[in-house]
Amino acid sequence: MLKSQAIVSALKQNIARAVVGKDDAVELLLTALLCEGHILIEDVPGVGKTTLCSALARSLSCSFRRIQFTPDVTPSDITGFTMPSLQTGELQYRPGAIMSQIVLADEINRTSPKTQSALLEVMEEHQVTVDGVTYPLPQPFMVLATQNPVDFVGTYPLPEAQMDRFFMRISIGYPELADEMDILERYCGAVSPMKQLTAVCSSEDIIAMQEEVKTIYCAKEIRAYV
């Protein structure tokens, strides 16, 4: 347990080097990660949603992909597709962008519901099925999605089935004045704090902590608490 606490503390400190004044959001992000859940960050553009997700990804020694969701993104861009091999003529699977441990679905509601539905299986089953063949996703696996307000031009509301796949929905909010000054100070240098972030734990550490969370006993009285 002490090792897990040290790892979580190191993750918080590392993320805080690039994300200012959002300790509560970082805490929820790490909670979702350890509970093997996905997280949806809803807020107006420019408050640091993508920066927060990228900082977490850079703090983990895991594979990372960012998918910028736009109206022209297709389901096969996410799940992958099969095509004949030029050498043998046999069908081969070409992995899509989802084949990664940490996936940032940036501005997820700017793409069509058809493309959004490509995430339903992968978020629930941690696998992807293409042309009847199922491929497991690397572990640990987490989707970090950002969403703009639904009243913005060019957005599509997420269907209930998609919303149900998220463990948490959080909002970041605007920074305080003191935090804004700190942000200006940090990001006015020649090197961005984001580029200075390094991984502080491995994928094996994350999996071990996720298994540790599963062993925590919850009393019946707490389960029934309203």
Side-chain angles (χ1 to χ4, degrees):
M1 182 67 74
L2 290 177
K3 181 183 178 182
S4 299
Q5 291 176 349
I7 292 175
V8 171
S9 178
L11 285 171
K12 290 180 180 178
Q13 293 176 12
N14 201 55
I15 295 172
R17 294 168 59 190
V19 180
V20 180
K22 302 301 177 185
D23 296 341
D24 291 342
V26 172
E27 184 90 23
L28 293 175
L29 210 64
L30 294 177
T31 300
L33 173 64
L34 297 185
C35 293
E36 300 182 55
H38 312 290
I39 198 161
L40 176 64
I41 306 176
E42 303 173 299
D43 220 318
V44 296
V47 295
K49 301 188 299 295
T50 303
T51 300
L52 175 61
C53 296
S54 298
L56 173 63
R58 286 177 177 267
S59 300
L60 306 175
S61 183
C62 298
S63 55
F64 172 64
R65 293 277 185 88
R66 173 182 174 179
I67 308 174
Q68 182 64 54
F69 280 83
T70 54
D72 61 337
V73 174
T74 64
S76 61
D77 292 330
I78 299 172
T79 61
F81 56 92
T82 56
M83 65 177 295
S85 170
L86 297 178
Q87 288 75 29
T88 64
E90 297 180 351
L91 290 177
Q92 291 185 340
Y93 172 61
R94 304 289 182 177
I98 202 64
M99 278 295 176
S100 189
Q101 292 171 306
I102 307 296
V103 177
L104 170 56
D106 209 7
E107 297 184 306
I108 188 174
N109 62 334
R110 286 200 178 276
T111 194
S112 67
K114 180 179 180 180
T115 302
Q116 293 173 11
S117 66
L119 293 171
L120 294 178
E121 180 185 10
V122 297
M123 293 176 67
E124 180 68 22
E125 306 293 339
H126 290 197
Q127 65 184 29
V128 60
T129 302
V130 178
D131 292 336
V133 182
T134 299
Y135 305 91
L137 295 174
Q139 298 300 313
F141 174 70
M142 183 182 191
V143 173
L144 304 165
T146 68
Q147 175 175 247
N148 292 327
V150 294
D151 55 345
F152 276 39
V153 175
T155 59
Y156 301 83
L158 296 183
E160 289 299 325
Q162 181 69 68
M163 296 297 296
D164 186 57
R165 297 299 194 271
F166 289 103
F167 183 73
M168 288 185 187
R169 297 168 61 185
I170 68 173
S171 177
I172 294 181
Y174 289 104
E176 300 292 337
L177 179 59
D179 293 332
E180 287 188 23
M181 298 300 102
D182 194 355
I183 292 170
L184 288 174
E185 183 70 24
R186 295 191 192 189
Y187 283 87
C188 282
V191 181
S192 169
M194 184 67 68
K195 295 182 180 180
Q196 297 177 332
L197 295 186
T198 57
V200 298
C201 71
S202 65
S203 57
E204 289 78 14
D205 292 328
I206 298 300
I207 293 174
M209 289 192 294
Q210 289 175 342
E211 292 300 321
E212 191 174 314
V213 169
K214 294 178 183 178
T215 64
I216 297 176
Y217 174 74
C218 181
K220 294 182 179 179
E221 293 79 7
I222 296 179
R223 298 176 195 173
Y225 178 77
V226 178

